[in-house]
C-alpha cells in the first residue's frame, strides 16, 4: 500500500495546483529536490570538482539503484542526459546497412522515427512498419511473420506519448529472442509507473528519462544495454569517460555501458535521479503500478460520463496516461482554460506521433495523466472542470 499522506507531504505542489500532466513533467518529491540542492550548494561553496567528489557515494549508488529497478547489472546501466540521447547512443551505434531491415510500430515516438528515417537515408536499410491489432497495440503475430533473415532490429515504444496504450513488450521480447533479433525498447513513459524487468521483457536495450513518472530532475536519463550485445554497438562518439587513450594511435572502450556516457555531466541531476529511483523503489513499483492504473481507470470512468467527451486510449492494457477530446473546444484551448483554474494537463499533437494520430484522424488530444499522489477527490474535481468547460 502507498502512504498517500506521506507522499503528498513530500510533494508540496499538490496543495496549490491539480497536476494531471505527469507524463510530461511530474512533481519532484522533496527528497529528490533536497538531493539536487545539496550538490548545487556544494558547487556554489566549493566548486564543481569538489562537489562531485563529495557526491561519489551517490554517483556509485546510481548504478545500483537502476540495476535494482530494472533487474539488471550495475555495469549494464549508463547515465545519459535525456531519454532521446540515451536511445540515440545505442541506435546510432548499430552497424546497419543496405539490405538490412528494421521493424517498428506506428505508435513509435517522433524523435525515434526521425532517427530511423535519417539513418535509413544514410545507410540504406529498410524500415518495416508492424501493424496494430484490434486493440491498437502492436500485432505480435504479424510482427513474427514480418521477421526475415535480413531483419536486424525491432525497435518499439513501450508506452507511446499520445495515449494510455501499453504495448506488449514481453511478447515482443519472446519473438525477438526466438529469432535472434536485437530488441530496443523506449521506456520513457513507462519507467516509474510500470514495473520493468529486463529479463522478463527480453529487451537488449532500454532507454528512459528521469523527469516523467520517476519524478526525477529534468535533463536526466538512463540507458540499459545487455552485456551480451554490448560489443555489437559501436558508440557514435567517445570521450575520456567512455574510452581510454591507450597509446598514440589506439584506444579502448570503457567496460560495460559506461562507454555510452560523457565525462561532463549534470552531477546534481544524476544524484537527484538516483534519489528518485530510490524513492520509487521504497514505495514499490507494484504498489505504484496498481494505484496509477486504478486511478487512471477511475478518471476514464468519470470522463465517460461527461457530455461531449470522447476517450481515445488504445490498448488491451491501459496505463496512467488518459487522452480525450471534448466537443467544440480544441485540446490546446482546453489546456489553457484548465491552467487558469490551477489544473495542469498536456497536449499530444501530430508532430509527436504522426503515424498513429494521422491514421486515427486526430490532430491533437488532451492528455490528463495521473500519478500515485493524486486522489479520488481530485479526479472528481477534474471531471467537474471538464464538464464546465
Amino acid at each position: 500500500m502507498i502512504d498517500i499522506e506521506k507522499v503528498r507531504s513530500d510533494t508540496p505542489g499538490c496543495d496549490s495546483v491539480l497536476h494531471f500532466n505527469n507524463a510530461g513533467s511530474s512533481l519532484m518529491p522533496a527528497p529528490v529536490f533536497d538531493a539536487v540542492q545539496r550538490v548545487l550548494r556544494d558547487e556554489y561553496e566549493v566548486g564543481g570538482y569538489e562537489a562531485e567528489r563529495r557526491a561519489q557515494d551517490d554517483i556509485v549508488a546510481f548504478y545500483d539503484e537502476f540495476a535494482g529497478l530494472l533487474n539488471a547489472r550495475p555495469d549494464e546501466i549508463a547515465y545519459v542526459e535525456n531519454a532521446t540521447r540515451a536511445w540515440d547512443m545505442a541506435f546510432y551505434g548499430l552497424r546497419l546497412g543496405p539490405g538490412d531491415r528494421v521493424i517498428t510500430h506506428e505508435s513509435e515516438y517522433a524523435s525515434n522515427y526521425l532517427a530511423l528515417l535519417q539513418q535509413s537515408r544514410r545507410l540504406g536499410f529498410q524500415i518495416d512498419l508492424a501493424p496494430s491489432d484490434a486493440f491498437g497495440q502492436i500485432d505480435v503475430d504479424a510482427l513474427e511473420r514480418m521477421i526475415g533473415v535480413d531483419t536486424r532490429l525491432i525497435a518499439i515504444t513501450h508506452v507511446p506519448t499520445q495515449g494510455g496504450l501499453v504495448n506488449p513488450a514481453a511478447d515482443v521480447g519472446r519473438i525477438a529472442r526466438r529469432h535472434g533479433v536485437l530488441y530496443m525498447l523506449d521506456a520513457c513513459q513507462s519507467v516509474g509507473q510500470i514495473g520493468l524487468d529486463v529479463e522478463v521483457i527480453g529487451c537488449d536495450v532500454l532507454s528512459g528519462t528521469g523527469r516523467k513518472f520517476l519524478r526525477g530532475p529534468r535533463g536526466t536519463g538512463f540507458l540499459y544495454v545487455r552485456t551480451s550485445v554490448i560489443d555489437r554497438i559501436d558508440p557514435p562518439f567517445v570521450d575520456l569517460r567512455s574510452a581510454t587513450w591507450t597509446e598514440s594511435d589506439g584506444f579502448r572502450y570503457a567496460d560495460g555501458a559506461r562507454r555510452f556516457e560523457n565525462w561532463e555531466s549534470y552531477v546534481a541531476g544524476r544524484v537527484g535521479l538516483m534519489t528518485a529511483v530510490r524513492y520509487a523503489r521504497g514505495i514499490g513499483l507494484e504498489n505504484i503500478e496498481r494505484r496509477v492504473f486504478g486511478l487512471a481507470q477511475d478518471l476514464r470512468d468519470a470522463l465517460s460520463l461527461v457530455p461531449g467527451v470522447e476517450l481515445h486510449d488504445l490498448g488491451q492494457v491501459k496505463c496512467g496516461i488518459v487522452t480525450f477530446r471534448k466537443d467544440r473546444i480544441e485540446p490546446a484551448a482546453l489546456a489553457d482554460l484548465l491552467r487558469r483554474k490551477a489544473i495542469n494537463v498536456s497536449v499530444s499533437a501530430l508532430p509527436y506521433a504522426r503515424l498513429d494520430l494521422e491514421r486515427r484522424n486526430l490532430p491533437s488530444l488532451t492528455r490528463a495523466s495521473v500519478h500515485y499522489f493524486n486522489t479520488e477527490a481530485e479526479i472528481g474535481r477534474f471531471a467537474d472542470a471538464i464538464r464546465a468547460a
Side-chain angles (χ1 to χ4, degrees), residues 78-93 108-116 118-119 157 161 184-189 191 205-212 217-224 236-237 260 262 273 351-352:
Y79 172 80
V80 190
E81 290 77 2
N82 57 65
T84 296
R85 281 297 166 264
W87 192 93
D88 288 344
M89 286 300 292
F91 173 69
Y92 280 87
E108 188 66 4
Y109 183 56
S111 292
N112 300 349
Y113 207 88
L114 286 169
L116 288 168
Q118 183 193 44
Q119 287 294 81
T157 293
T161 185
M184 288 182 62
L185 185 68
D186 181 336
C188 190
Q189 303 281 8
V191 65
V205 176
L206 184 144
S207 57
T209 186
R211 71 178 172 88
K212 297 181 184 286
R218 189 162 196 173
T220 64
F222 69 93
L223 177 67
Y224 157 81
F237 57 81
F260 300 106
N262 294 323
L273 179 52
Y352 300 99

Side-chain angles (χ1 to χ4, degrees), residues 1-76:
M1 295 292 291
I2 295 177
D3 186 343
I4 300 303
E5 290 186 6
K6 171 65 168 60
V7 166
R8 289 180 72 86
S9 71
D10 283 340
T11 312
C14 285
D15 299 329
S16 55
V17 178
L18 179 53
H19 288 272
F20 271 59
N21 68 340
N22 302 294
S25 183
S26 188
L27 293 171
M28 185 183 294
V32 177
F33 177 79
D34 292 342
V36 174
Q37 290 292 101
R38 183 178 67 251
V39 178
L40 292 177
R41 189 176 302 112
D42 282 345
E43 290 189 8
Y44 173 72
E45 293 177 351
V46 299
Y49 287 162
E50 179 62 16
E52 182 176 9
R53 188 194 66 77
R54 292 182 179 183
Q56 275 305 303
D57 288 346
D58 287 336
I59 291 172
V60 171
F62 172 90
Y63 304 100
D64 295 329
E65 291 294 338
F66 263 102
L69 181 73
L70 301 176
N71 188 25
R73 292 169 29 171
D75 63 354
E76 295 176 318

Side-chain angles (χ1 to χ4, degrees), residues 17-18 324 326-347 366 381-389:
V17 178
L18 179 53
F324 65 95
K326 186 179 182 185
D327 289 348
R328 296 185 296 278
I329 182 167
E330 287 299 310
L334 179 58
D336 287 341
L337 185 154
L338 292 173
R339 196 172 295 112
R340 292 195 291 273
K341 297 182 179 182
I343 300 174
N344 286 344
V345 296
S346 302
V347 175
T366 303
R381 177 186 162 196
F382 182 82
D384 288 343
I386 300 301
R387 186 176 287 106

Side-chain angles (χ1 to χ4, degrees), residues 204-356:
D204 299 299
V205 176
L206 184 144
S207 57
T209 186
R211 71 178 172 88
K212 297 181 184 286
F213 284 95
L214 275 177
R215 305 182 66 195
R218 189 162 196 173
T220 64
F222 69 93
L223 177 67
Y224 157 81
V225 181
R226 188 179 297 276
T227 299
S228 61
V229 307
I230 200 161
D231 289 332
R232 295 166 59 184
I233 305 173
D234 191 20
F237 57 81
V238 295
D239 69 0
L240 50 78
R241 167 68 173 175
S242 53
T244 299
W245 197 3
T246 56
E247 51 192 326
S248 60
D249 58 353
F251 74 96
R252 61 175 172 81
Y253 289 127
D255 293 335
R258 310 291 171 88
R259 67 186 62 187
F260 300 106
E261 293 188 343
N262 294 323
W263 185 85
E264 186 60 60
S265 69
Y266 179 28
V267 175
R270 184 188 297 220
V271 171
L273 179 52
M274 181 280 296
T275 307
V277 174
R278 181 175 287 170
Y279 188 87
R281 294 183 67 208
I283 295 172
L285 268 296
E286 289 184 1
N287 294 328
I288 292 172
E289 182 176 327
R290 186 181 306 113
R291 178 164 177 83
V292 169
F293 280 36
L295 287 174
Q297 189 55 52
D298 290 346
L299 178 56
R300 292 186 185 97
D301 291 343
L303 289 174
S304 69
L305 300 176
V306 177
V309 168
E310 184 175 1
L311 293 161
H312 288 285
D313 292 320
L314 302 175
Q316 190 170 14
V317 177
K318 299 178 178 66
C319 66
I321 302 177
V322 179
T323 54
F324 65 95
R325 287 181 66 91
K326 186 179 182 185
D327 289 348
R328 296 185 296 278
I329 182 167
E330 287 299 310
L334 179 58
D336 287 341
L337 185 154
L338 292 173
R339 196 172 295 112
R340 292 195 291 273
K341 297 182 179 182
I343 300 174
N344 286 344
V345 296
S346 302
V347 175
S348 289
L350 273 177
Y352 300 99
R354 178 168 297 279
L355 295 177
D356 177 41

